[in-house]
Structure formats: C-alpha cells, structure tokens
Amino acid sequence: DAEAALDLSKVTQQYLSRIQQESRVGEVEKVYVELALQRLSAKVLTARGDGIEAHLVSIVATSSVLDDGSTSSRLAMGYFWIYDGLSVDFLREQRLLAHSTLPRSAESFAEDDDAYDIMGELARLGAFDESYEGASDLAEVTVSTSPSTMTTTIDGKFSSLCINFNPLVFRQVLKDIASGGSSDGVLLERSGGIDLGQTFSEDIVSQAMSYSRDDRDRQDKKPDTTGSDTSEQEGMLVISARMGCFEILTRSPSDDRPLLRLAATTAVVSFHSTSEESAADVSLDNVIIEDRRD
C-alpha cells in the first residue's frame, strides 16, 4: 500500500545518505576524466550481423577515482533512443524499444520512407550546432562504488522515458543478445562514424564492471579509517530512478499494434539488495490508462 511504499522509499534514501556520508571520508580525487560528444552510438551485434543500437545526443561523461578506492561515473545526455534491428519471423510495426522525448512522435519515424532517421531529423533542426538551445539535459545517470561499504549505487534522473513493450520482442532480445551474440561485442562510434577504439569483448566489459580480486585484497589490507569493520560487511546494490514523465505502450504479439498505454506524470523507482534481502518500490503519480486498440 501507499504507506508501505513510502516507508521503503525512506529506507532506500537512508542507505543512499549513509553511503554518501561515508564516501566523503578521505575524498581526494586521484583521477578525473571528462568527455563531451555531440553524439554517441553503441551497437550490440549478433552472429547474424544484426543487433540492438543505442543512440545518445549531447553527451557529457565524467569519471573519477578517489584515493580511498571509491569511484563515481556520471553520464548526462539529451535525446536518446534504443533501436531494435533484430531479424525476426513475426510482424514489427515499431522498432524503438525505448526513447526520450523526440523531435516528433515515434510513430511518425516508423512511417517515414527513410525509417528511424532520427539523427538526420536532429541535424535538420540544428541540434548539432553550437548555438542550439533544444533538449540537452533529458537524462542523467550516476554510478558510484565504495570499497569501504562494499556498495554500488546507481542513481538515474530522466525528464521523460517511453517504452514500447511487446513480449515477443523482449524475448527475442534476451535470446539473441543476453545469451552471447557476436564475439565482436560492443562497437562505439561518435559523430561522423569515427571508431572510438577497439571493440569491447564480453570479458573486458565484465572486468570493467567489477572489482578485481587484487584490488579488493589491497583494499582489505588498508587500515580502517571509518571506524567500520569491512571484514563483516556484505556487498550492497542500491538503485534509485526518477522520471518526470513515464510511459509504457504495450503492443500486440500478433501484429505489434498498440494495445494499452500507461502513463504517469512522475515515476520513482527504489531498489536495494544484499545477499540476504532485496526490496523494491515503484510509485506513480497521476496514472492514465488508455485503450489504444483500433
């Protein structure tokens, strides 16, 4: 009920507050990196050569490492969308899996002769010009890790988030991508199609997303300056996300036509997990449910 959801949200905020306070102890930056791009595209390919594409516009990414071993990475962006280019044996009407506010409706991009040319539309609007004052701060995601508390926190803020949900499509995504896909991994490109570097294979990505054993061992040998016993602490994951406008459009598995639209003016998601317990909370304000069937 509402009271229980509020209590859970308070618990999650207490975790975040405690983590932020403890991370300030000995907070001196050893490494700081900042990168700004007009656009960034990431492609996850299958062995067939098709795949999923994520496109971000007006990106600012920062990453820092503190002297106590904690890290913080922040990604801020304007327009963003995820395009499904998988070859399937069922009807598809809409291939945008998720997106922010776009220059025009997602349906209109699906109907264009040059389908889903969102980058071209943004270029025609001048979105890549230095003088452009359009949407440039539609989403922000911060990921922080703290060795002293063995905690990873993910905090997301979105001005808008729209999801097209077809169960057959998401099952296909999990089957083709999560099960392995191509050994080529993820290819990153920036404006103009310039390759930012080598492709990242799965083992490199996995290594980047976790502490190495040597790093953990070195951290355990450091004297405890926070007054806490890290030897008895368990790892914790804390996720908090807030969306100014949230929309899910369910689509028919038979022909991918719209079925129901669920929209909320504000959505807040809270989640925390340890080895012993997990808890989640989702709260929606001003919920609207529409029948979108023809």
Side-chain angles (χ1 to χ4, degrees):
D1 55 15
E3 184 176 354
L6 181 59
D7 290 340
L8 179 57
S9 181
K10 288 181 178 178
V11 169
T12 304
Q13 292 302 320
Q14 289 172 358
Y15 276 121
L16 289 171
S17 178
R18 189 196 73 185
I19 293 163
Q20 291 169 351
Q21 290 174 0
E22 293 180 355
S23 66
R24 295 191 186 102
V25 178
E27 185 174 331
V28 177
E29 285 182 342
K30 291 170 48 178
V31 179
Y32 178 80
V33 178
E34 181 173 343
L35 178 67
L37 295 172
Q38 285 186 338
R39 85 180 198 195
L40 178 67
S41 297
K43 301 178 182 179
V44 182
L45 304 177
T46 70
R48 301 187 303 269
D50 55 3
I52 303 292
E53 303 175 11
H55 299 276
L56 316 177
V57 174
S58 299
I59 315 102
V60 176
T62 63
S63 182
S64 60
V65 179
L66 308 184
D67 62 351
D68 64 352
S70 60
T71 65
S72 178
S73 299
R74 173 180 170 271
L75 178 66
M77 70 197 83
Y79 298 107
F80 64 90
W81 61 96
I82 299 176
Y83 171 78
D84 170 19
L86 294 174
S87 299
V88 294
D89 56 2
F90 51 87
L91 293 175
R92 296 297 308 277
E93 182 178 277
Q94 177 57 259
R95 287 188 172 269
L96 292 181
L97 298 181
H99 58 87
S100 68
T101 299
L102 296 175
R104 48 190 173 87
S105 70
E107 289 77 11
S108 66
F109 282 109
E111 295 168 356
D112 282 350
D113 293 335
D114 190 6
Y116 304 103
D117 185 20
I118 302 175
M119 284 293 185
E121 181 72 11
L122 291 173
R124 288 188 287 273
L125 293 174
F128 302 118
D129 299 338
E130 294 184 1
S131 59
Y132 183 71
E133 297 181 354
S136 60
D137 55 353
L138 296 179
E140 179 180 325
V141 178
T142 303
V143 180
S144 304
T145 63
S146 174
S148 62
T149 60
M150 297 297 292
T151 302
T152 299
T153 62
I154 303 175
D155 184 30
K157 299 183 179 71
F158 303 87
S159 64
S160 64
L161 178 62
C162 303
I163 298 174
N164 286 293
F165 181 76
N166 182 327
L168 284 182
V169 172
F170 278 81
R171 186 179 69 178
Q172 188 74 28
V173 170
L174 293 176
K175 177 182 176 181
D176 286 352
I177 303 300
S179 62
S182 169
S183 60
D184 291 338
V186 180
L187 176 64
L188 298 180
E189 299 176 347
R190 64 179 180 181
S191 180
I194 302 176
D195 188 1
L196 288 180
Q198 296 179 342
T199 57
F200 296 87
S201 61
E202 292 179 6
D203 56 339
I204 295 178
V205 174
S206 299
Q207 182 180 9
M209 295 177 62
S210 62
Y211 292 116
S212 70
R213 184 177 300 276
D214 291 340
D215 288 340
R216 290 198 300 267
D217 291 342
R218 284 195 295 269
Q219 184 63 35
D220 290 341
K221 294 177 181 178
K222 287 185 178 181
D224 184 7
T225 60
T226 65
S228 60
D229 185 3
T230 58
S231 63
E232 298 182 358
Q233 288 182 338
E234 299 177 346
M236 181 186 301
L237 173 65
V238 179
I239 299 176
S240 177
R242 183 178 184 87
M243 288 148 278
C245 179
F246 178 67
E247 177 181 312
I248 294 180
L249 185 61
T250 62
R251 311 189 75 91
S252 169
S254 60
D255 57 9
D256 205 33
R257 297 286 295 172
L259 294 178
L260 295 176
R261 173 180 174 266
L262 184 149
T265 56
T266 303
V268 179
V269 178
S270 300
F271 173 83
H272 74 267
S273 175
T274 66
S275 60
E276 296 183 351
E277 63 176 1
S278 298
D281 167 48
V282 178
S283 62
L284 304 173
D285 292 338
N286 299 324
V287 177
I288 299 174
I289 299 178
E290 295 179 349
D291 187 346
R292 298 292 296 271
R293 291 172 292 184
D294 295 336

